[in-house]
Amino acid sequence: MSSVAIRHVEPYTDEWLKQPACYARLVVEQLGTEVSDWWEGPCDPRAVTVRLADGTALVWDEESGWRLGRYVGGGSGRHTELSGVRYLGGGLLPRPERVPAALTDAREGVGSSTAWRPCYRSHRNCRDGFDVALDFYTRLVDA
């Protein structure tokens, strides 16, 4: 009988803080030349910003997933401000290869994209297992 080890990452450690960047790196690879820059955002909730060549940006956070909007301001370690926000849909952690199609839908205002903010979880629930899902992407990047 085989066993599967589940590894939880201790909250607020360097490893835990870097987990979203590993996931975002895979999304950035999928978006290719559409990306002009990207950076990690602040904590509570953990976030990542992906600036796009057309003046918009995608922001991911660990509570509501990906959202698209016109980039207004922000920077590394700071919250990004967007206008005209539309959430991509597809859940909190859509597979990286699904994000480009979700982005297209959000730009067109179709599919599962919405102007209403979903709340899949609270960043305060540090031990709810979400780190296990993010760790999967960390292992892909480190492989």
Side-chain angles (χ1 to χ4, degrees), residues 63-68 84-90 112-120:
E63 292 183 333
S64 57
W66 289 103
R67 62 188 175 272
L68 170 69
V85 172
R86 201 149 177 95
Y87 290 85
L88 269 59
S112 62
S113 69
T114 179
W116 301 102
R117 179 185 184 263
C119 190
Y120 298 109

Side-chain angles (χ1 to χ4, degrees), residues 84-139:
V85 172
R86 201 149 177 95
Y87 290 85
L88 269 59
L92 182 56
L93 204 61
R95 290 193 344 225
E97 62 270 18
R98 292 186 175 172
V99 174
L103 173 60
T104 299
D105 285 353
R107 284 176 170 152
E108 296 173 3
V110 299
S112 62
S113 69
T114 179
W116 301 102
R117 179 185 184 263
C119 190
Y120 298 109
R121 68 185 290 271
S122 170
H123 71 275
R124 291 177 181 89
N125 296 336
C126 293
R127 300 193 191 281
D128 63 356
F130 183 64
D131 63 310
V132 175
L134 274 177
D135 191 55
F136 170 78
Y137 292 104
T138 303
R139 290 171 185 257

Side-chain angles (χ1 to χ4, degrees), residues 42-94:
C43 190
D44 293 336
R46 293 175 288 175
V48 174
T49 298
V50 179
R51 293 272 319 256
L52 302 175
D54 66 0
T56 62
L58 282 171
V59 174
W60 176 89
D61 73 55
E62 65 179 315
E63 292 183 333
S64 57
W66 289 103
R67 62 188 175 272
L68 170 69
R70 173 81 32 207
Y71 179 78
V72 176
S76 182
R78 298 186 353 236
H79 289 285
T80 298
E81 185 180 346
L82 302 174
S83 65
V85 172
R86 201 149 177 95
Y87 290 85
L88 269 59
L92 182 56
L93 204 61

